[in-house]
Every structure is written in C-alpha cells, then in structure tokens.
C-alpha cells in the first residue's frame, strides 16, 4: 500500500485531551457518514489492488487499520476512542465485506436481514422483527453493496433486469429489487443460514415436533417414500428439508436442484445443481426443469428439488413415478390440500392438455407423504400436520392425517400454546417399515398420548 498523501480536508473538533477519551460523540451523524465515505475513498485510492487480491483477509485487516490511522493523523481528524474504533471497523467492512451488513451477518441470533432502501434496516430475532439504528449512507451506497453481492456469483441487477436472486458465501439466500420496480429505492432481503446445522433433536427441543413424530419422519426417509414439505414463507421448509435429507444413507447418490443453492447436505456423494438466469441478451437461461431432466441422466439415487414453483413439477412427478423414489421437495401452501391444488395448477403450466382426473391420479401415485409446517403468531415454527396420500376416491385425492398440532390459545407473554397428538390412524406405509426392519415405538400412533406445549 502506498503512504497517504498530505491533506487537510478532514473533520476537526476542538476538544481537550480528556474529552477525546470519553464516549461523547465528537461528530454528528451526517458528518460521520461523510467522513467514513471520504476515508473509504482515500483507502481505495491508496491501496494496491493487485497486492490486495493476493493477501488473505487476516493479513489485510491489520494493514488496513494502519492505513486508516495514517489518513486520520494526516487529516488531523479528532475522534474519541469509540468513534475511532467504530470508523476503522466500518471502513474495513466496506473494503473487505458488505458495509453495514457485515456485523449483522456475524450475529448468529439474526435469521433475516431486511433492508428497505438505505434508510431502514430490519432484522428478525427469535421470530420477531426489530428496526436497527444502523443504516446505509444513501441509496447509492446500498446499490453498491447489492452489486458487490450479485457480481460475486455471476449475476447482475440493473434497469433491464431489476430483480435478482443470489447467495452469499455462507449459503444465505439474497433477493434484491431496484427501481423502477421498487418505487422508493433499492430493497434487499437476506435469509440467513445457521452455521450450526440443526438436527432433529434441535426441533424436538424447540417443541417444533415430538420424539414420536421425529422417529416417524426418519422412517419415512429411510423407506424411500416421496415427501412434499408444504408451508408459507419463512416457516422453515428448507431447514426441515435439510434435516430430513440427513437421514439419507451415505451410500446413495444425491442430486440437489435449486434456484439459489442453499441446501447443506452432510453426505459426501452429493451433486449440487443451480439454475442460471438469462444473460443481458436474454439468452442462456437454465431452468429447474432443464436441470431436472438432465439429472435423470446422472444416475441419481435421490433427487432433492429445493422448491417447485412451475412446470418442473410435472418432471418431478414423472421421476417419482418411474423409479426415482425417495425424492423430496418443498412447496408454498397453507395446507396439505392446498399443496395438492398448487401441484395440479403447476402441472397445467407445463402446457399439456391433461384431464384433471389424470393429473390427480398421477399426483396421488407419485407422492406418499405431505408434511405441513407453519409459523405461529409468536414466531415459533411447528409441524402442524403429517398426512399420508392413500390414493383416489372418484375424482378426489384422499388423505389421512397421522399427526397434528392444535393451538389452544396464547399465554400472558404472547407465546402460542397447544398440543401435539396422533390421530389414531395407522398409516399404510408402516407395512413398508416392517419389510425394511425400521422400528417404531409400539404406542407411536396412540391418540391418547398428548404433548402440551
């Protein structure tokens, strides 16, 4: 790095030495953001980018600290210790990371980061949204951070393509939308991924399901039944998909297909495929349907489709009906019956003129189990229904519920109260469990065994 040039354009404050050690702010909010932007620009001008590219961030961070301190001394910028440390950290985040988002991405208690233009940053902790004091300098600053995120994964966002899905290096899902579609300014949403992968025991501890339900779900995966996980946005569908995929034997070849790769499978033999948007000429798009068709030629033992949204559902059903059993996928729906209706609607999007009865028969023979997951009023997530698809009666797909969660009320602290229980129905696929030697507790389907939570 080159030494900083002499300059005298910094922010000066006439204070005593004692005041410089206090926590009292020496600059206003606007002045501080202007100062940070100026220091950031000076650092970029003085950095040797070819050297930076070859250094590890652990080596680069102390070098950046020394350079920023030199600039502050030469510009005669007087800040108290807290402001100085904060300025150095935030300029480092601008250079090495994602600016104001960087400390939020390091906070394991945050599950979602929602940026509503440069003026507002919301986060979700424990299922509750809260507004932070942190913000971007302006909308242009936010646009630069968005560009930094999307270009790192080979995507773009501009007026001709104002919406984009991307991901961060840790697997977190990113969505950005900019004007003219977003009227007030750029909008950025980040769905965080936990660094510590949740296990089934964690869901039991969080009262998202019971031990009996967990044992049944494990058996469903081991017995290679086809599973559809249904739920709304933010209910934990992908988290549950990750957990269930952990029961797939390590000897099997797994192929995952996603719009934005976020599944974190623990097995060694995993092939991860990701869709590609069209380029600036509108060419080169690769859809989930394209990847699904190709995956059938890759000798998969299991196919995991991150989420069905369109015509690819027809190819998924075909795969499930032609020997690729044990497949898993998710869908946006508020109930198991609604999930089947959505599947039927998406089959129609494939452009084939199939009779409704034929589509329903095809669906009922492909899918075995629907798991409904919901987010309650207090932010907790629970598996509220496990249902088996038993076939057709005339023109209707028949379902039978095995487990359910009934909410009974809300306590004084606003926490949802309810109970898990079995319905008393013994599913047909238990015969398959017996054939494969999968053991279940004798009273797993006892309707009188109720768990209050």
């Amino acid at each position: 790095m080159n030494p900083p040039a002499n300059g005298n354009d910094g922010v000066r404050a006439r204070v005593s030495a004692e005041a410089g050690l206090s926590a009292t702010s020496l600059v206003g909010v606007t002045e501080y953001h202007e100062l940070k932007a100026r220091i950031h620009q000076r650092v970029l001008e003085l950095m040797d980018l070819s050297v930076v590219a070859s250094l590890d961030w652990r080596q680069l961070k102390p070098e950046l600290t020394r350079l920023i301190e030199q600039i502050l001394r030469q510009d005669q910028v007087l800040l108290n210790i807290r402001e100085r440390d904060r300025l150095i950290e935030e300029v480092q985040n601008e250079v090495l990371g994602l600016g104001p988002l960087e400390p939020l991405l390091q906070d394991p208690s945050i599950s979602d980061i929602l940026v509503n233009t440069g003026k507002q940053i919301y986060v979700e902790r424990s299922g509750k949204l809260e507004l932070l004091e942190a913000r971007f300098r302006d909308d242009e600053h936010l646009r630069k951070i968005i560009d930094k995120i999307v270009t790192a994964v080979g995507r773009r966002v501009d007026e001709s393509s104002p919406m984009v899905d991307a991901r961060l290096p840790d697997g977190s899902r990113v969505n950005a939308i900019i004007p003219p579609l977003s009227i007030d300014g750029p909008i950025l949403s980040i769905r965080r991924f936990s660094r510590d992968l949740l296990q089934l025991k964690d869901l039991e501890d969080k009262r998202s399901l019971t031990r009996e339900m967990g044992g049944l779900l494990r058996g469903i995966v081991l017995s290679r039944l086809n599973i559809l996980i249904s739920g709304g946005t933010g209910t934990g569908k992908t988290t549950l998909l990750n957990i269930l995929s952990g029961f797939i034997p390590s000897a099997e070849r797994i192929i995952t297909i996603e719009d934005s790769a976020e599944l974190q499978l623990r097995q060694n033999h995993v092939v991860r495929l990701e869709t590609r948007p069209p380029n600036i000429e509108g060419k080169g798009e690769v859809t989930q349907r394209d990847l699904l068709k190709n995956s059938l030629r890759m000798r998969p033992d299991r196919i995991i489709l991150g989420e069905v949204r369109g015509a690819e559902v027809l190819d998924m059903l075909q795969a499930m009906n032609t020997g690729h059993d044990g497949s898993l996928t998710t869908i946006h729906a508020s109930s198991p019956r609604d999930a089947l209706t959505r599947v039927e609607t998406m089959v129609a999007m494939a452009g084939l003129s199939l009779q409704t009865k034929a589509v329903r028969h095809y669906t009922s023979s492909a899918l075995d189990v629907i798991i409904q997951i919901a987010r309650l009023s207090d932010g907790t997530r629970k598996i509220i229904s496990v249902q088996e698809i038993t076939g057709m009666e005339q023109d209707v797909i028949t379902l039978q519920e095995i487990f359910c969660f009934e909410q009974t009320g809300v306590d004084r602290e606003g926490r949802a109260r309810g109970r898990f229980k079995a319905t008393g129905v013994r599913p047909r696929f238990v015969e398959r469990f017996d054939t494969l030697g999968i053991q279940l507790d004798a009273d797993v389907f006892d309707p009188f065994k109720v768990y209050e939570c």
Side-chain angles (χ1 to χ4, degrees):
M1 295 183 183
N2 301 319
N6 290 330
N8 196 31
D9 58 344
V11 175
R12 295 181 175 85
R14 298 177 181 177
V15 294
S16 63
E18 290 80 9
L21 297 174
S22 72
T24 304
S25 177
L26 303 180
V27 293
V29 173
T30 303
E31 289 177 295
Y32 177 82
H33 282 287
E34 291 175 354
L35 171 62
K36 186 173 73 171
R38 188 158 57 249
I39 299 296
H40 180 208
Q41 185 60 39
R42 291 282 301 281
V43 168
L44 293 179
E45 292 170 357
L46 298 169
M47 285 170 56
D48 187 336
L49 297 180
S50 61
V51 174
V52 169
S54 64
L55 289 177
D56 184 78
W57 70 269
R58 285 180 289 268
Q59 298 172 295
L60 188 56
K61 205 164 185 178
E63 291 294 324
L64 272 174
T65 300
R66 283 191 285 271
L67 180 59
I68 295 167
E69 288 176 340
Q70 283 183 333
I71 295 173
L72 292 175
R73 283 195 301 269
Q74 289 217 346
D75 287 1
Q76 299 180 26
V77 177
L78 295 181
L79 299 172
N80 63 40
I81 291 177
R82 180 177 295 181
E83 288 174 337
R84 173 188 167 278
D85 292 343
R86 176 188 170 193
L87 179 68
I88 291 174
E89 180 182 5
E90 291 186 1
V91 173
Q92 287 175 338
N93 289 339
E94 293 288 347
V95 176
L96 303 176
L98 301 178
L101 301 179
E102 201 62 33
L104 306 181
L105 293 170
Q106 305 305 319
D107 187 344
S109 68
I110 294 175
S111 57
D112 285 275
I113 302 171
L114 309 172
V115 184
N116 302 335
T117 74
K119 300 176 182 178
Q120 287 184 332
I121 301 178
Y122 283 87
V123 298
E124 180 184 299
R125 286 190 178 96
S126 303
K128 299 292 184 180
L129 288 176
E130 58 182 89
L131 177 64
L132 302 183
E133 292 183 2
R135 62 182 179 86
F136 289 83
R137 184 172 64 253
D138 49 33
D139 286 350
E140 185 60 32
H141 183 200
L142 175 55
R143 278 293 302 272
K144 289 179 180 178
I145 296 299
I146 292 173
D147 289 337
K148 194 172 186 178
I149 293 172
V150 300
T151 54
V153 292
R155 302 198 175 187
R156 64 186 178 86
V157 58
D158 51 38
E159 287 190 2
S160 62
S161 180
M163 294 186 296
V164 66
D165 284 314
R167 69 179 186 276
L168 297 177
D170 67 354
S172 296
R173 187 198 309 175
V174 178
N175 176 270
I177 182 167
I178 64 171
L181 299 187
S182 172
I183 297 173
D184 298 322
I187 307 295
L188 178 67
S189 306
I190 300 177
R191 174 68 53 82
R192 295 287 312 285
F193 257 33
S194 174
R195 295 175 183 174
D196 300 322
L197 297 182
L198 291 177
Q199 307 289 338
L200 190 64
K201 183 65 168 59
D202 297 311
L203 294 191
E204 293 174 13
D205 293 341
K206 293 174 181 291
R207 305 289 184 88
S208 294
L209 48 68
T210 64
R211 184 179 62 83
E212 286 80 4
M213 293 171 67
L216 182 70
L217 295 182
R218 176 179 176 274
I220 287 172
V221 176
L222 289 175
S223 60
R224 300 182 65 88
L225 298 176
N226 293 320
I227 303 171
L228 180 65
I229 300 172
S230 170
T233 301
T235 54
K237 298 187 299 297
T238 304
T239 299
L240 182 60
L241 185 61
N242 259 320
I243 292 172
L244 295 184
S245 67
F247 298 129
I248 299 175
S250 58
E252 296 187 14
R253 176 176 171 86
I254 306 168
I255 297 181
T256 69
I257 300 170
E258 301 173 85
D259 274 335
S260 181
E262 51 184 329
L263 291 173
Q264 299 169 297
L265 273 63
R266 295 177 286 274
Q267 293 85 343
N268 290 324
H269 199 168
V270 178
V271 178
R272 305 171 70 210
L273 305 179
E274 184 180 55
T275 62
R276 186 177 69 182
N279 59 23
I280 196 168
E281 290 86 16
K283 301 178 181 179
E285 181 181 17
V286 179
T287 65
Q288 281 195 130
R289 192 174 190 186
D290 297 329
L291 294 177
L292 186 53
K293 290 178 179 178
N294 188 78
S295 71
L296 300 178
R297 307 184 185 101
M298 299 172 67
R299 197 254 174 227
D301 288 312
R302 305 262 188 162
I303 298 174
I304 301 178
L305 189 59
E307 182 182 340
V308 286
R309 294 191 180 94
E312 69 273 2
V313 72
L314 177 60
D315 300 280
M316 188 70 185
L317 295 176
Q318 287 179 324
M320 291 175 174
N321 271 313
T322 54
H324 296 90
D325 50 359
S327 299
L328 299 91
T329 188
T330 71
I331 192 170
H332 271 78
S334 56
S335 71
R337 182 62 64 183
D338 287 344
L340 292 176
T341 302
R342 280 212 69 204
V343 168
E344 185 179 330
T345 302
M346 288 187 287
V347 169
M349 294 170 63
L352 299 178
S353 56
L354 298 175
Q355 291 184 353
T356 300
K357 185 174 181 178
V359 173
R360 291 176 181 174
H361 179 77
Y362 206 59
T363 302
S364 66
S365 62
L367 296 172
D368 298 302
V369 178
I370 300 178
I371 303 170
Q372 185 70 35
I373 188 167
R375 176 176 171 176
L376 305 186
S377 57
D378 61 352
T380 58
R381 281 87 167 173
K382 295 188 186 297
I383 294 178
I384 62 171
S385 183
V386 179
Q387 300 200 20
E388 178 187 26
I389 297 177
T390 57
M392 293 273 293
E393 284 187 7
Q394 295 183 353
D395 292 345
V396 180
I397 298 175
T398 55
L399 300 170
Q400 60 180 14
E401 191 168 45
I402 306 165
F403 285 102
C404 67
F405 172 81
E406 297 176 348
Q407 185 172 345
T408 56
V410 178
D411 65 14
R412 293 179 180 179
E413 286 75 33
R415 294 189 296 264
R417 293 300 182 191
R419 55 177 175 261
F420 288 103
K421 67 174 185 178
T423 61
V425 173
R426 183 178 176 85
R428 297 179 182 180
F429 56 68
V430 170
E431 296 177 3
R432 190 166 180 172
F433 286 16
D434 296 336
T435 303
L436 297 173
I438 299 171
Q439 300 295 323
L440 292 175
D441 293 341
D443 60 350
V444 64
F445 303 117
D446 183 357
F448 300 105
K449 198 172 182 181
V450 177
Y451 292 87
E452 301 285 345
C453 62

